[in-house]
Amino acid sequence: MERLDEIDLKILRILQRDSNMSTKKMASLLNLTPSPIYERIRKLEKDGYIKNYVALLNKKRINRSVTAICMVSLRYHNEGFIDKFDSQIKKLNEVQECFHMAGKVDFFLKINVSGLDEYHEFVRTKLSRIDNIGVLESYFVLKEIMDTTEFHF
Amino acid sequence: MERLDEIDLKILRILQRDSNMSTKKMASLLNLTPSPIYERIRKLEKDGYIKNYVALLNKKRINRSVTAICMVSLRYHNEGFIDKFDSQIKKLNEVQECFHMAGKVDFFLKINVSGLDEYHEFVRTKLSRIDNIGVLESYFVLKEIMDTTEFHF
DNA sequence: TCTGAAACGCACTGCCC
DNA sequence: GGGCAGTGCGTTTCAGA
């Protein structure tokens, strides 16, 4: 719960890149034995530094290679409408990220689909059917320059 | 390399949520024994369906709770300038995502910092020092509604 | 491609420093 | 808080169907 020392930070840095590394190998990298590594990791989990362990998939391989950014503004901005948009957007499987923003645009969405056809269907049959949408602007990714879950510290 | 069957898809769905699940438990969920699970996972890795295994950290805990979206347009658009922007942006530790876009805006960036002070410093001393930036617009996330690495299929 | 069994190594515990 | 030794379990391999 207290501050992390340099060893904890190194462990987190490693786990962000390769969560399957054995405590044995990590121990040799950090000039320690496996036991303290093991205990520190359990502590980092317990204290909430580590949310979960996941496999990252290759978008191309699973036919989700098109990424779109969509900016949405609502027509009315009272609490009920915002919460309603919130709960409806969570049901859409194509949406990877959705942020409620400060400023002129209300929401940023990152959407992954197989192609433009599917994006068209997504907007037509799902997104645009959500109540109270005012403006809806779509942008397409030409090239992913960076896309990482890793924080540098 | 061929098409995936329903078992492969189920394995990928599980690993996207919890990559530390044992082959034993997965086997019992899928009514199989650990060996075929093990072999299928190795094959999914070898064939490039699985990029890597990572720990996802809690932004708040590691002091990166402010998320900004930044839209950048370049002044000149010849190949050299785009590649240069590309290589310079990759050096910035605060940037989590960077996409080269089709349309009026050239790049979308997702940036995580500890607070507005740090964002100010990031723009002042790093982002704005990159050559050839024309327009630079920042938006701040009020609330994360969704942020997942998981693809639904 | 799966089952079942066998071998191996690592995760995990407890004790000592 | 780290080192060391022991145990059990999961990973990994392989023969057979």
Side-chain angles (χ1 to χ4, degrees):
Chain A
M1 208 69 170
E2 323 78 49
R3 269 199 77 63
L4 303 177
D5 64 15
E6 191 53 42
I7 295 172
D8 289 321
L9 294 177
K10 281 179 179 162
I11 291 173
L12 289 177
R13 281 192 275 258
I14 290 171
L15 289 175
Q16 283 192 108
R17 292 175 161 274
D18 176 12
S19 60
N20 281 356
M21 184 180 291
S22 68
T23 53
K24 196 181 176 182
K25 186 172 176 194
M26 217 182 286
S28 82
L29 288 176
L30 304 183
N31 295 317
L32 281 170
T33 53
S35 329
I37 301 288
Y38 176 78
E39 279 160 9
R40 280 167 178 269
I41 292 176
R42 288 297 91 83
K43 186 158 169 46
L44 289 166
E45 292 169 355
K46 194 174 65 63
D47 292 347
Y49 289 95
I50 297 170
K51 264 197 304 193
N52 54 346
Y53 298 96
V54 302
L56 299 180
L57 305 190
N58 184 335
K59 280 199 260 298
K60 300 230 170 89
R61 270 261 175 252
I62 57 167
N63 213 25
R64 293 295 195 94
S65 44
V66 168
T67 304
I69 304 286
C70 186
M71 290 158 63
V72 176
S73 291
L74 301 185
R75 211 188 304 270
Y76 305 110
H77 292 82
N78 47 6
E79 188 184 346
F81 275 123
I82 290 176
D83 291 351
K84 206 173 168 191
F85 182 84
D86 185 319
S87 73
Q88 286 184 91
I89 213 75
K90 282 178 182 162
K91 295 177 193 155
L92 304 182
N93 286 338
E94 294 87 348
V95 178
Q96 297 293 127
E97 301 179 16
C98 175
F99 302 121
H100 185 193
M101 307 300 294
K104 203 171 59 177
V105 171
D106 289 319
F107 297 95
F108 265 90
L109 277 65
K110 193 175 91 172
I111 293 142
N112 275 284
V113 285
S114 62
L116 295 183
D117 299 354
E118 196 179 317
Y119 188 73
H120 173 233
E121 281 306 296
F122 167 75
V123 172
R124 199 172 66 86
T125 66
K126 295 182 179 176
L127 192 54
S128 67
R129 288 199 185 156
I130 295 180
D131 293 336
N132 187 34
I133 289 185
V135 185
L136 197 157
E137 262 182 285
S138 296
Y139 296 84
F140 292 96
V141 171
L142 292 177
K143 179 153 184 263
E144 280 185 13
I145 295 166
M146 288 181 71
D147 190 5
T148 180
T149 57
E150 186 186 349
F151 296 101
H152 296 84
F153 46 78
Chain B
M1 209 69 171
E2 324 81 48
R3 268 198 78 63
L4 303 178
D5 64 15
E6 191 53 41
I7 296 172
D8 289 321
L9 294 177
K10 282 179 179 161
I11 290 173
L12 289 177
R13 280 192 276 257
I14 291 170
L15 289 175
Q16 284 192 106
R17 292 176 159 275
D18 176 12
S19 61
N20 280 355
M21 184 181 291
S22 68
T23 53
K24 197 181 178 184
K25 185 173 176 191
M26 219 182 283
S28 81
L29 288 176
L30 305 181
N31 295 316
L32 281 170
T33 53
S35 327
I37 301 288
Y38 175 79
E39 278 158 10
R40 279 168 180 268
I41 292 174
R42 289 296 92 81
K43 187 159 168 42
L44 289 166
E45 291 168 355
K46 194 173 64 63
D47 292 347
Y49 290 94
I50 297 170
K51 265 196 305 192
N52 55 346
Y53 298 96
V54 303
L56 299 181
L57 305 190
N58 184 335
K59 279 200 262 297
K60 300 229 171 90
R61 270 263 177 253
I62 57 167
N63 212 25
R64 291 295 194 95
S65 45
V66 168
T67 304
I69 305 285
C70 186
M71 289 157 64
V72 176
S73 291
L74 300 185
R75 212 187 302 268
Y76 306 109
H77 291 81
N78 47 7
E79 187 184 346
F81 275 123
I82 291 176
D83 292 351
K84 206 174 170 191
F85 182 83
D86 185 319
S87 72
Q88 287 183 91
I89 212 75
K90 282 177 180 160
K91 293 178 196 156
L92 304 182
N93 286 339
E94 293 87 347
V95 178
Q96 297 292 127
E97 302 179 16
C98 176
F99 302 120
H100 185 192
M101 307 301 294
K104 202 171 59 180
V105 170
D106 289 317
F107 297 95
F108 266 90
L109 277 65
K110 191 173 92 172
I111 293 142
N112 275 284
V113 285
S114 63
L116 296 183
D117 298 352
E118 196 180 316
Y119 188 73
H120 173 235
E121 280 306 296
F122 167 75
V123 172
R124 197 172 67 85
T125 65
K126 295 182 180 176
L127 192 54
S128 67
R129 287 200 186 158
I130 294 180
D131 293 337
N132 187 36
I133 288 184
V135 185
L136 197 158
E137 261 183 286
S138 296
Y139 298 83
F140 292 95
V141 171
L142 292 177
K143 182 161 181 257
E144 279 185 16
I145 295 167
M146 287 181 71
D147 190 5
T148 180
T149 56
E150 186 186 351
F151 296 101
H152 297 85
F153 46 79

